[in-house]
C-alpha cells in the first residue's frame, strides 16, 4: 500500500528483514541496525540503543599491518575514513586499490587523514592477507564486539562502504566509495555532499537510497546543462538546509 511504500522510503530500507528503532516522542531514528543490536545485546543492557560518539565506539587499540599497535585516541583531530570491507568481495578489492592511491595523495597534500579498516573477512588469516595491502589502521579482527558496534553505529547494509568523518567524528558523507571513484585526484576531499550531482555509473547507487529528483537535459548543448544546474541548485540547497535544521539526513 501507499503507506507501506512511504515508510520504506522514509527509512531508506533496501533489504529485509530490517529493524529500525525510533524515538516515539521526536520521530527520530535511534538505530538503523536493530537486528545487530538484538544479536549483540539480547538482554537489552544498552537500551535504548541510541547513537554513541565515534570516539567512544572505536575506543581501544588499533593495528598497523607491521604488527604495531596504537591507541584509537591517535585518530583525534584527523579526518577519518571508516572502511567496511572484506577480501572475499571483488568490489571491495578493486576499491581498496584505488583507495590506497587516494590515501597517499591526501597525506602527501599535507592534510590530516586516517583510514580505519573494519573487516568483514571470514577468518583471521584472510583478514591478515587483505590488511597486508593497506597502509592504514584496523580494528583487531579478534575484537568482534567492537567491529559489530561500528557496523551498528553506521547502519551498514552492504560492503564496500566508506564513511568519511570530520575531525570531531561527525559524518561528512556516507558515500565515500562514490566520492573516491569520482574524484581520483582527491581535489574535492573531504567530499562534503553536493546539493546537485551529475548522474554517473558510480553514483547511481544513490537512486536506491531515497527519493531523488532527476532532471534530464540535452547533453549535446553545453549551455543547457549549466542552466539546468543553476535552476535546481537553489532548490536543492533549500531542501538540504531544511533537513539540517531538523538534524535529519536529507
Amino acid at each position: 500500500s501507499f503507506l507501506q511504500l512511504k515508510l520504506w522510503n522514509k527509512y531508506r530500507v533496501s533489504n529485509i528483514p530490517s529493524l529500525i528503532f525510533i524515538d516515539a516522542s521526536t520521530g527520530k531514528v535511534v538505530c538503523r541496525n536493530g537486528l545487530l543490536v538484538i544479536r549483540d545485546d539480547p538482554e537489552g543492557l544498552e537500551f535504548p540503543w541510541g547513537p554513541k560518539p565515534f570516539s567512544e565506539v572505536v575506543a581501544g587499540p588499533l593495528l598497523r599491518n607491521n604488527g604495531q599497535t596504537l591507541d584509537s585516541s591517535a585518530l583525534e583531530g584527523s579526518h577519518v575514513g571508516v572502511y567496511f570491507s572484506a577480501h572475499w568481495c571483488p568490489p571491495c578489492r578493486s576499491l581498496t586499490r584505488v583507495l590506497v592511491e587516494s590515501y597517499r595523495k591526501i597525506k602527501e597534500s599535507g592534510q590530516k587523514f586516517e583510514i580505519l579498516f573494519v573487516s568483514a573477512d571470514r577468518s583471521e588469516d584472510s583478514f591478515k592477507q587483505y590488511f597486508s595491502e593497506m597502509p592504514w589502521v584496523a580494528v583487531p579482527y579478534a575484537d568482534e564486539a567492537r567491529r559489530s558496534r561500528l557496523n551498528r553505529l553506521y547502519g551498514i547494509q552492504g560492503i564496500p562502504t566508506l564513511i568519511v568523518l570530520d575531525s570531531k567524528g561527525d559524518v561528512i558523507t556516507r558515500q565515500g566509495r562514490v566520492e573516491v571513484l569520482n574524484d581520483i585526484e582527491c581535489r574535492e576531499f573531504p567530499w562534503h555532499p553536493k546539493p546537485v550531482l551529475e548522474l554517473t555509473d558510480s553514483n547511481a547507487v544513490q537512486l536506491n537510497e531515497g527519493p531523488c529528483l532527476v532532471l534530464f537535459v540535452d547533453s549535446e548543448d553545453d549551455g543547457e546543462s549549466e542552466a539546468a544546474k543553476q535552476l535546481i541548485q537553489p532548490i536543492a540547497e533549500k531542501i538540504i538546509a531544511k533537513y539540517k535544521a531538523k538534524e535529519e539526513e536529507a
Side-chain angles (χ1 to χ4, degrees), residues 18-244:
S18 211
L19 177 61
I20 295 170
F21 294 115
I22 293 157
D23 179 337
S25 58
T26 62
K28 282 192 181 150
V29 172
V30 174
C31 169
R32 292 197 164 278
N33 253 3
L35 295 172
L36 276 181
V37 167
I38 54 178
R39 190 196 74 188
D40 290 355
D41 183 21
E43 306 288 310
L45 302 176
E46 292 178 38
F47 182 82
W49 304 303
K52 295 185 167 72
F54 169 70
S55 57
E56 189 181 316
V57 176
V58 78
L62 303 175
L63 296 178
R64 290 205 177 277
N65 65 14
N66 61 4
Q68 265 185 314
T69 62
L70 68 163
D71 189 73
S72 58
S73 58
L75 300 175
E76 284 167 21
S78 293
H79 284 81
V80 178
V82 190
Y83 184 37
F84 298 86
S85 186
H87 190 260
W88 53 262
C89 146
C92 292
R93 292 200 300 275
S94 56
L95 180 61
T96 297
R97 287 193 289 275
V98 176
L99 201 49
V100 167
E101 287 305 304
S102 303
Y103 178 75
R104 192 176 51 76
K105 283 176 189 157
I106 294 163
K107 299 281 266 193
E108 281 173 3
S109 75
Q111 301 188 76
K112 292 185 82 175
F113 181 50
E114 196 47 75
I115 293 178
L116 174 67
F117 172 41
V118 184
S119 168
D121 288 291
R122 291 171 180 156
S123 71
E124 175 100 38
D125 285 345
S126 168
F127 161 76
K128 280 188 176 144
Q129 182 195 344
Y130 194 28
F131 187 41
S132 70
E133 303 163 20
M134 300 180 184
W136 45 75
V137 298
V139 176
Y141 185 79
D143 195 343
E144 201 176 324
R146 195 162 28 140
R147 289 191 289 124
S148 187
R149 282 200 300 273
L150 285 159
N151 271 280
R152 266 165 48 193
L153 179 62
Y154 298 115
I156 302 303
Q157 295 194 338
I159 55 172
T161 294
L162 178 67
I163 310 263
V164 182
L165 310 178
D166 66 17
S167 55
K168 296 198 288 289
D170 296 326
V171 174
I172 292 176
T173 178
R174 300 176 60 88
Q175 300 291 342
R177 175 193 186 181
V178 171
E179 297 293 355
V180 163
L181 295 175
N182 275 347
D183 180 23
I184 295 297
E185 293 305 315
C186 307
R187 290 200 181 97
E188 308 275 335
F189 177 82
W191 302 302
H192 287 280
K194 292 191 186 74
V196 179
L197 291 175
E198 194 164 321
L199 191 59
T200 64
D201 285 354
S202 55
N203 68 26
V205 61
Q206 287 169 251
L207 296 172
N208 297 325
E209 297 191 352
C212 295
L213 174 69
V214 184
L215 181 61
F216 292 86
V217 295
D218 181 357
S219 61
E220 300 301 308
D221 178 357
D222 280 348
E224 191 174 333
S225 58
E226 201 37 60
K229 202 170 178 180
Q230 286 175 3
L231 174 72
I232 56 177
Q233 182 85 14
I235 301 169
E237 284 171 0
K238 210 159 151 183
I239 291 169
I240 285 172
K242 187 179 91 176
Y243 277 93
K244 209 170 187 164

